[in-house]
């Protein structure tokens, strides 16, 4: 989908409501200040090696098993119908911002690296066998872990991810001249290396910590 895709988001997820609110705030600002050039970036899931520890805490929690950092050791990869996402390295996202500052463009830009990530791709990356699991069973497990305070990511966020459209980034390529330097597979490998080594940043939210 291109940038004209509605930005309402999945209403049950707080994360989506926050993003939708910001889109509406920018709508109003653009309407009231037409003389100001407003550029909106809509990146895919952003990763880098140094963000691994923080993102593990946000989405996986302290009980995330050590095998999560070594998908090649897992007996199988869950294949959930409709679950496919896009990824992007933070350096490639930053380059899009730099180009927008130097180019007289306005409006929204989708940002994502190829290819889209699904169970089939992950299976090829880690030589693991995808096993089809029903959505309802996985959601029930996520909801149970959420209610038991074992998982920080809510089942509503799981619902939202299942409904994400795949973004068309043609506008960023043609109007900004933007091209991500890293493929999505490279981004994921770097992130997993960060998980294994407990990489982080110098601030408390970004502090490093190994898994398990």
């Amino acid at each position: 989908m291109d940038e004209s895709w509605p930005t309402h988001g999945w209403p049950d997820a707080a994360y989506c409501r926050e993003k939708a609110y910001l889109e509406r705030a920018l709508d109003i600002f653009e309407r009231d200040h037409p003389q100001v050039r407003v550029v909106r970036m809509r990146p895919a899931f952003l990763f880098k090696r140094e963000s691994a520890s923080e993102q593990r805490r946000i989405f996986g929690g302290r009980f995330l098993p050590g095998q999560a950092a070594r998908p090649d050791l897992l007996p199988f990869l869950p294949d959930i119908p409709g679950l496919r996402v896009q990824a992007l390295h933070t350096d490639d996202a930053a380059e899009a911002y730099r180009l927008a500052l130097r180019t007289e463009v306005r409006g929204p830009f989708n940002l994502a690296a190829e290819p889209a990530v699904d169970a089939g791709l992950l299976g090829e990356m880690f030589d693991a066998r995808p096993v089809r699991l029903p959505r309802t069973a996985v959601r029930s497990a996520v909801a149970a872990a959420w209610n038991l305070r074992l998982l920080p990511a809510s089942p509503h966020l799981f619902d939202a991810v299942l409904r994400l459209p795949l973004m068309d980034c043609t506008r960023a390529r043609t109007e900004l001249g933007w091209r991500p330097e890293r493929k999505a597979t490279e981004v994921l490998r770097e992130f997993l290396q960060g998980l294994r080594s407990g990489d982080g940043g110098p601030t408390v939210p970004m502090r490093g910590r190994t898994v398990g």
Side-chain angles (χ1 to χ4, degrees), residues 116-136:
V117 180
D118 59 12
L121 177 68
L122 293 175
E124 293 176 5
M125 285 178 60
F126 304 115
D127 195 23
R129 180 171 60 93
V131 174
R132 182 59 62 98
L133 297 177
R135 286 187 183 186
T136 52

Side-chain angles (χ1 to χ4, degrees), residues 48-100:
K48 65 176 179 178
R49 188 178 184 120
E50 294 82 0
S51 70
S53 292
E54 180 197 25
Q55 287 173 318
R56 178 186 65 81
R57 290 191 293 270
I58 291 174
F59 297 107
R62 64 184 185 277
F63 297 111
L64 183 73
Q67 290 91 333
R70 292 291 305 275
D72 52 310
L73 299 181
L74 295 173
F76 67 89
L77 287 172
D79 181 4
I80 305 166
L83 182 59
R84 55 181 184 174
V85 298
Q86 291 168 291
L88 185 66
H89 197 281
T90 55
D91 287 351
D92 287 323
E95 174 63 8
Y97 280 90
R98 188 190 71 82
L99 291 169

